[in-house]
Amino acid sequence: MTMSSPAPTVVSSPGKVLLAGGYLVLDPAYSGVVVSTSSRFYTVIETLPQPPARAEGPSQIRVRSPQFLDATWLYFVDLAAPTGVSVEAVAPNADSVPSKNKFVHLALQRTLSLAAELRSVGTLQNTLSYGLDITIVGDNDFYSQRAQLTANNLPPTLASLEKLPPFNKTDVRLADVHKTGLGSSAALITSLVSGLLLHLNVIPADSFATEGGTADASEGRKLAHNLSQYVHCLAQGKVGSGFDVSAAVFGSQLYTRFDPAVIEPLMTENMLSQSLHPIISPSHPAWTYRVEPFKLPPQTRLMLADVDAGSDTPSLVGKVLKWRKANSEDAKKLWDTIDGLNGSLSKTLLNLATMAEKNPTAYRKAVKYISTIQSVQWLANPNIAENKNHIELKEVIEEFLNAHIISESIRSNMRTMGERADVPIEPPEQTALLDACISVAGVIGGGVPGAGGYDAIWLLVCDPVNCPAEELPASRVERVWSTYTGLDVSPLLASESAAKGVRVESLDAVPGLADIVHVPGSH
């Protein structure tokens, strides 16, 4: 590789599942239990070693999403425009009109603006050189693969999904894709913003080498978080809770939101004339969000399914918040109850991880045992319940049973909220599906993620070591899904991400990534 063509910057960010804390996570008085997924978005940034054939004047940035049709966006960058940094969308070729991608456009404009503030314009111009070539792709789980499975005569199973090529082409335009609710826009923005901050030397190269929550993450990771939150809010036209961006940056966590007021000065029409860094800086005291690291217990597995009956999240949220405002006393009681249960679920799951470390043998035996029977029978065996030789085994099983009871109680209270607000948080069809899944041997608990509705479910199941594949609880759950007639259930491949949040990747180490980045004649 020549000096004029430095190695590409490759950064990935995970998707998210809000296991507990739907609606409550909008209020900084409450927290949410968020799991980051093994399914990730990848941004690959390459500096153009020579000027594009027809280019004179401004630097060019070309952005491609090769999983979609007509998904190339071209921008001219002027770092010394009268209003600050100008990023102008232009037509990729003479026969077309500039297509719009608000998320990408704002991520470029705002990140380059911050870079210009923190480094001199001249230095930034040298780094940009003739321009950048950026490729953004998402793992298959972010988009429904039903059409691809049908086209290949494959049933909707995990085994079928594993046969599809990585970064599978969707054969549709970006606006027409069916998303699965894993937080694609937050993961996309986080990977793009973090990649640009690294590539433009705004943050140190080792910013994502260390993990952790707000207590011990690097300043670079925190800056990437704040800027990604801001860009995501700007692109969506509103300030959401931010748990999806936080999961993309930090990984699985107990999340408490930031005060929306911190970025309000930058959400106005005259944002381009304002300095970004004083507000986006991690040292700004108004960034009051909290991230406490969280992980699922060992020898368990998160299972996700896409249910083909989408719901409109904003309208659900609007109705619940309206009910809360009109019934503040009742709502507070219910939310406090749910929040207490959410906290208990988090503590119980973290405590299981501690038990696994302290007594791995008893823990392994407990997981193996409860994998073979339904939760109602976990402590029914008198040999375990009363035998003093099995105290440690019994303690682990009791803690798993606690997790089951708490998650069922969360479901019950969320259904109550749905009834009172007249919103289908866990509609009867989803209740029937979840009950069928949770009654399977070795299933700890489950629910509808986030704001609820019809479009997805999550389950936490035991995943014992050295167990034949067909006897795994996950295989039993799959059999329920594949034969279920009440709803059309399609599994996702994702499990919990082992890596915490944003990470730097090697282009050739991610299966299929180099191929799609350098595919000839891409859309």
Side-chain angles (χ1 to χ4, degrees), residues 227-511:
L227 184 58
S228 298
Q229 288 283 18
Y230 164 51
V231 170
H232 194 237
C233 292
L234 205 55
Q236 293 198 312
K238 67 180 196 313
V239 183
S241 71
F243 80 86
D244 43 6
V245 169
S246 191
V249 177
F250 296 105
S252 296
Q253 61 190 270
L254 202 60
Y255 173 73
T256 311
R257 72 158 306 155
F258 60 93
D259 183 345
V262 67
I263 57 171
E264 269 165 16
L266 294 174
M267 298 285 286
T268 57
E269 287 295 314
N270 64 343
M271 64 179 183
L272 294 179
S273 62
Q274 298 189 61
S275 294
L276 270 174
H277 190 249
I279 289 173
I280 297 299
S281 168
S283 61
H284 188 340
W287 283 101
T288 52
Y289 69 99
R290 276 201 326 276
V291 171
E292 297 165 55
F294 170 82
K295 62 179 178 180
L296 294 172
Q299 295 166 51
T300 66
R301 173 177 174 173
L302 178 70
M303 294 186 76
L304 302 169
D306 170 31
V307 180
D308 197 20
S311 41
D312 183 5
T313 303
S315 66
L316 296 184
V317 173
K319 282 182 182 172
V320 168
L321 295 182
K322 193 176 173 186
W323 160 78
R324 185 191 183 200
K325 198 173 179 182
N327 304 273
S328 56
E329 203 171 312
D330 281 356
K332 187 180 185 320
K333 271 185 198 164
L334 185 57
W335 280 32
D336 287 350
T337 299
I338 295 170
D339 189 55
L341 290 164
N342 294 345
S344 297
L345 181 65
S346 164
K347 282 194 185 77
T348 304
L349 295 174
L350 285 169
N351 193 39
L352 280 163
T354 307
M355 288 177 147
E357 278 174 31
K358 282 186 179 168
N359 197 328
T361 305
Y363 186 88
R364 191 183 71 250
K365 284 180 178 174
V367 171
K368 198 171 178 67
Y369 177 67
I370 65 174
S371 292
T372 61
I373 48 178
Q374 296 173 298
S375 54
V376 289
Q377 300 170 301
W378 285 354
L379 284 175
N381 184 340
N383 190 34
I384 289 175
E386 296 158 22
N387 189 328
K388 287 184 177 161
N389 296 327
H390 290 148
I391 288 173
E392 288 170 330
L393 180 69
K394 182 187 169 189
E395 282 175 351
V396 177
I397 295 172
E398 279 176 339
E399 201 67 344
F400 272 110
L401 191 59
N402 281 342
H404 167 75
I405 291 164
I406 295 164
S407 63
E408 286 295 275
S409 191
I410 291 170
R411 279 183 65 201
S412 171
N413 280 278
M414 292 298 281
R415 283 196 299 272
T416 299
M417 187 183 358
E419 286 156 16
R420 290 184 187 172
D422 195 24
V423 167
I425 293 175
E426 188 187 294
E429 299 94 323
Q430 289 279 58
T431 298
L433 172 60
L434 283 165
D435 287 350
C437 295
I438 292 167
S439 67
V440 168
V443 176
I444 300 154
V448 283
Y454 291 91
D455 44 12
I457 62 165
W458 67 268
L459 297 170
L460 184 62
V461 306
C462 294
D463 197 26
V465 293
N466 303 327
C467 178
E470 66 277 5
E471 292 175 26
L472 284 169
S475 300
R476 295 195 197 103
V477 166
E478 264 217 277
R479 286 195 283 278
V480 171
W481 288 351
S482 64
T483 56
Y484 197 78
T485 54
L487 288 165
D488 184 6
V489 187
S490 193
L492 302 183
L493 278 174
S495 52
E496 183 179 28
S497 172
K500 293 284 189 183
V502 175
R503 72 175 176 206
V504 176
E505 307 278 359
S506 165
L507 184 62
D508 295 319
V510 180

Side-chain angles (χ1 to χ4, degrees), residues 34-82:
V34 195
V35 170
S36 61
T37 66
S38 52
S39 298
R40 289 176 163 261
F41 255 82
Y42 296 82
T43 293
V44 180
I45 305 175
E46 300 175 282
T47 301
L48 297 178
Q50 56 196 43
R54 64 178 192 283
E56 281 182 25
S59 298
Q60 289 191 19
I61 298 180
R62 182 179 73 147
V63 181
R64 294 179 303 132
S65 287
Q67 287 164 291
F68 299 98
L69 301 174
D70 304 327
T72 297
W73 301 276
L74 189 63
Y75 302 93
F76 282 171
V77 179
D78 182 356
L79 297 176

